[in-house]
Amino acid sequence: MNEDRRRILDMLAAGQISAAEAERLLNAIEAPAAGSAALGEPGAKPKPKYLRIFVEGEDKRGVPLNVNVRVPMQLLRAGVKLSSILPTQARGPIAEALREKANESGMHIDLTSIKPENLEELVESLGDLTMNVDSDNTKVRLFCE
Amino acid sequence: MIPMTATIYVQRSSGKSLHLWIPLILLWVLLLPLVVLIAPLFLIACALLKTNPIPMIAAFWQTFSGLSGTNAEIHHQRTHLVFRIS
């Protein structure tokens, strides 16, 4: 019996609250506890299931174009894990090619430093990601749900 | 869960529409003999590259089964296209 339930029952025993109020309070603490138990820990946020991308813009002729894409997070996880199965002989040339590209674009990506546990943490933190981009004729919204 | 069906829906403002329902499970069954034929070549390639094939198979399987739930919807001028994998 947890502390909240004990406190409610003590208040009921002391006559500070009625039976109806005690029942209401017990239901209130048990409802989020039941939801959290389904998630595995108290107060846990539900894991995001999909990455949603909305694009509202125009094509080259100025014709409106709307795109709505939903990608399962499982696919993202699997996709980034594919980088970890690259043969060792291939990693060197790929890293070299990325380094050359990085010198042009300024973005440094090192595939050899990507570890599976980091990927899981990265994908989980995507759940809090919300991106809104507004340019001249194009709006892009990206979020996880 | 592996993708079982794919749905393609195209609607034009002229009223014409196309609705395709594709049972992907049949496609996987047809491709299974091809996978069986390629499997030894894959294992030989992994042995030559000194790579463990099991993580590769697991990664490909996760990618494959992660396709379920993919939705894409495009609305352009007079055409509305919906593509779903479930």
Side-chain angles (χ1 to χ4, degrees), chain A residues 115-127:
Chain A
K115 294 182 180 55
E117 52 270 20
N118 300 137
L119 294 176
E120 191 57 41
E121 198 177 326
L122 174 66
V123 173
E124 284 194 9
S125 61
L126 282 176

Side-chain angles (χ1 to χ4, degrees), chain A residues 8-25:
Chain A
I8 293 168
L9 293 173
D10 288 341
M11 286 164 65
L12 177 63
Q16 293 172 354
I17 56 173
S18 67
E21 285 170 349
E23 184 183 7
R24 189 170 47 82
L25 289 169

Side-chain angles (χ1 to χ4, degrees), chain A residues 127-140:
Chain A
D128 297 326
L129 173 69
T130 301
M131 189 187 296
N132 291 323
V133 178
D134 284 339
S135 68
D136 291 336
N137 300 320
T138 307
K139 290 182 186 175
V140 179

Side-chain angles (χ1 to χ4, degrees), chain B residues 6-12 15-22 72-74 79-84:
Chain B
T7 306
I8 300 174
Y9 180 69
V10 182
Q11 185 173 32
R12 294 188 175 271
K16 293 180 184 174
S17 66
L18 170 71
H19 195 170
L20 284 177
W21 181 83
I22 304 167
E73 196 171 327
I74 301 173
T79 305
H80 187 69
L81 168 70
V82 177
F83 175 72
R84 284 198 190 104

Side-chain angles (χ1 to χ4, degrees), chain B residues 23-81:
Chain B
L24 293 176
I25 185 69
L26 297 179
L27 187 63
W28 310 145
V29 169
L30 288 173
L31 289 176
L32 194 57
L34 189 64
V35 170
V36 171
L37 285 173
I38 292 175
L41 299 174
F42 173 74
L43 292 173
I44 291 169
C46 288
L48 289 172
L49 292 171
K50 295 176 185 171
T51 306
N52 188 350
I54 294 176
M56 293 181 78
I57 294 170
F60 279 117
W61 181 258
Q62 281 184 343
T63 307
F64 177 58
S65 54
L67 286 171
S68 264
T70 303
N71 265 24
E73 196 171 327
I74 301 173
H75 188 84
H76 181 243
Q77 200 174 9
R78 289 174 287 197
T79 305
H80 187 69
L81 168 70

Side-chain angles (χ1 to χ4, degrees), chain A residues 96-114:
Chain A
E96 186 59 38
L98 285 173
R99 228 173 280 128
E100 286 174 13
K101 280 284 182 186
N103 292 334
E104 296 169 17
S105 65
M107 279 183 60
H108 296 266
I109 300 173
D110 183 9
L111 288 181
T112 57
S113 59
I114 295 176

